[in-house]
Amino acid sequence: MFIPDWRRVFLRAWSVRLMLIAGLLSGLEVALPLMDGYVDIPPRLFAVLSGLTVAAAFIARFVAQSSLSKGQSNADE
């Protein structure tokens, strides 16, 4: 079951934004071998950036976010 204001949380929570960025970085990591020779990017760069972004999302999940605190008190529970 979703929380009552899931749309608001989805649009404003930093944890969600960071997880979307991590997904994008993971996709780029998969696509990197297809671009071999066209782009000069270290092979593990996207994996490291993705891991750091997931760690930041984990931390952001527990930090009070003022854009979510206004209104309902359980907006980011």
Side-chain angles (χ1 to χ4, degrees):
M1 184 114 250
F2 291 120
I3 59 173
D5 59 345
W6 68 269
R7 285 185 180 103
R8 189 166 150 263
V9 172
F10 181 76
L11 294 173
R12 295 187 177 160
W14 275 102
S15 57
V16 174
R17 293 173 185 175
L18 290 167
M19 289 304 292
L20 290 172
I21 292 170
L24 175 68
L25 289 169
S26 293
L28 289 173
E29 180 185 7
V30 170
L32 190 60
L34 302 173
M35 298 182 290
D36 192 31
Y38 296 109
V39 216
D40 189 27
I41 297 174
R44 303 274 186 241
L45 178 67
F46 290 119
V48 170
L49 291 176
S50 179
L52 291 173
T53 307
V54 169
F58 181 78
I59 293 168
R61 186 70 185 118
F62 295 103
V63 174
Q65 300 175 38
S66 61
S67 64
L68 293 175
S69 297
K70 298 173 186 168
Q72 294 183 340
S73 60
N74 66 345
D76 202 22
E77 291 182 345

